Amino acid sequence: MRSIAPAATVAALVLLGACGKHDGNAVSMTNASVDTVANVAKAQQIKLQPGQWDMTVEMVSQEIKGAPAGMPAQPKMPPVSTKICLTKEQVEKPENMFANGQADFKKNCVFDKFDMSDGKISTQMHCTMPNGMKVEGANSGTFSATEMASESTATVSGMPGGMSSTTRTKMSAKRTGECSATPTAG
């Protein structure tokens, strides 16, 4: 099963960082579309700094319920580190992060809760996918113009055979300088 988490994490990195730490700019929304969150991000004054970012995503745990007898357990994956080049254009227009490959996320997901202030964020969201699967997620963390850290839980239900999966991940990202000439994600 392909996870939406890595692609959503990159997009969220830009969206959440675009909102930045700014006194008096606390944001609290319920039932907000991805577009609404992107528009709020665009309206904020402090953004992530463009440049080379090192991001590490670690799967802390994964539980699968309803698996057929004899199905092997999923091995724990080692942390995955990625270099991401965020351009000035991406930082200034975070809503465009959803243009390529993120249309399903943008169309099928809603932020049930989105709270952010003083460099801290807490979100809850759900997605109803066209194939009948449902994703519920929660994320909390800290961020600044040059660093981010978060912990997330995602539960996928409606999988074949009635299976469901709950995955807990940690993500950290830090700006390390200007973009290198080598192609990167983003």
Side-chain angles (χ1 to χ4, degrees):
M1 180 185 81
R2 197 180 116 214
S3 172
I4 65 169
T9 299
V10 172
L13 174 68
V14 173
L15 281 175
L16 303 180
C19 295
K21 183 177 179 180
H22 192 263
D23 294 335
N25 268 346
V27 175
S28 183
M29 295 184 277
T30 57
N31 248 0
S33 70
V34 173
D35 281 335
T36 300
V37 172
N39 288 331
V40 167
K42 187 176 180 182
Q44 297 295 318
Q45 295 179 9
I46 297 176
K47 298 175 170 54
L48 287 177
Q49 289 183 6
Q52 186 77 39
W53 284 72
D54 287 351
M55 181 172 71
T56 300
V57 178
E58 176 185 2
M59 180 191 301
V60 176
S61 66
Q62 183 177 38
E63 299 172 38
I64 298 178
K65 295 181 181 174
M71 181 176 167
Q74 294 288 325
K76 184 174 179 189
M77 302 299 289
V80 175
S81 295
T82 307
K83 292 187 182 303
I84 300 169
C85 176
L86 293 180
T87 66
K88 180 180 176 189
E89 293 77 22
Q90 289 170 317
V91 170
E92 290 176 353
K93 295 184 179 186
E95 68 275 16
N96 290 341
M97 287 295 289
F98 294 99
N100 295 321
Q102 298 303 313
D104 284 344
F105 177 68
K106 187 175 179 180
K107 179 175 73 176
N108 300 319
C109 299
V110 172
F111 284 93
D112 301 308
K113 182 184 115 186
F114 184 95
D115 292 318
M116 179 181 55
S117 67
D118 298 324
K120 295 179 182 174
I121 187 154
S122 176
T123 67
Q124 290 180 343
M125 71 182 313
H126 74 274
C127 306
T128 303
M129 307 310 283
N131 60 6
M133 289 196 307
K134 295 184 180 185
V135 180
E136 294 178 339
N139 182 354
S140 64
T142 59
F143 62 95
S144 72
T146 58
E147 290 186 63
M148 296 190 76
S150 70
E151 294 188 22
S152 303
T153 301
T155 300
V156 180
S157 60
M159 294 167 56
M163 291 190 306
S164 66
S165 170
T166 299
T167 305
R168 290 175 183 75
T169 58
K170 287 184 180 183
M171 185 274 297
S172 62
K174 184 174 184 174
R175 185 181 186 279
T176 57
E178 299 305 314
C179 291
S180 66
T182 351
T184 59

